[in-house]
Amino acid sequence: MTTPSTPDPDEPTRATEPAQPSEPSEVDKAEELRAFNIREQDSAWRAVAYLLTGPLIYGGLGAIADHLLGTSWLVGAGIVGGMALSLYLIWFRYGTH
């Protein structure tokens, strides 16, 4: 039966070299680019959705308030306010990176 040998404490130890980062392959680069493009495309469609839903929702709330209060100016105020909030949300979400 053999016993495992222990390293001699007087023997200098060799430092292991850190592994060199390997260059990503063409397939990895293509996959990373595809994932980036999908994220950017999703961001663009979200921005369009914000631009449409803000004025629609707040314009609709203004129309309901106009009907209940007997006024005629809250629809316009709701549309303008909804657009302003939509633009602010887009700037806050995507413009501060």
Side-chain angles (χ1 to χ4, degrees):
M1 189 152 134
T2 61
T3 59
S5 64
T6 58
D8 185 14
D10 295 331
E11 184 178 316
T13 58
R14 277 188 262 149
T16 58
E17 293 182 23
Q20 295 292 331
S22 62
E23 194 66 27
S25 69
E26 292 297 320
V27 174
D28 292 337
K29 288 180 184 178
E31 182 63 29
E32 185 176 326
L33 180 63
R34 188 181 74 75
F36 174 77
N37 287 337
I38 288 173
R39 281 192 310 271
E40 291 299 311
Q41 186 178 16
D42 288 347
S43 296
W45 280 113
R46 281 192 195 107
V48 170
Y50 291 147
L51 286 175
L52 292 174
T53 57
L56 287 174
I57 289 174
Y58 285 101
L61 291 174
I64 292 170
D66 271 343
H67 179 72
L68 294 175
L69 299 174
T71 60
S72 62
W73 58 274
L74 290 175
V75 173
I79 291 172
V80 170
M83 182 59 76
L85 288 173
S86 294
L87 290 173
Y88 174 73
L89 180 63
I90 291 169
W91 173 77
F92 183 74
R93 267 211 158 158
Y94 302 113
T96 57
H97 313 168

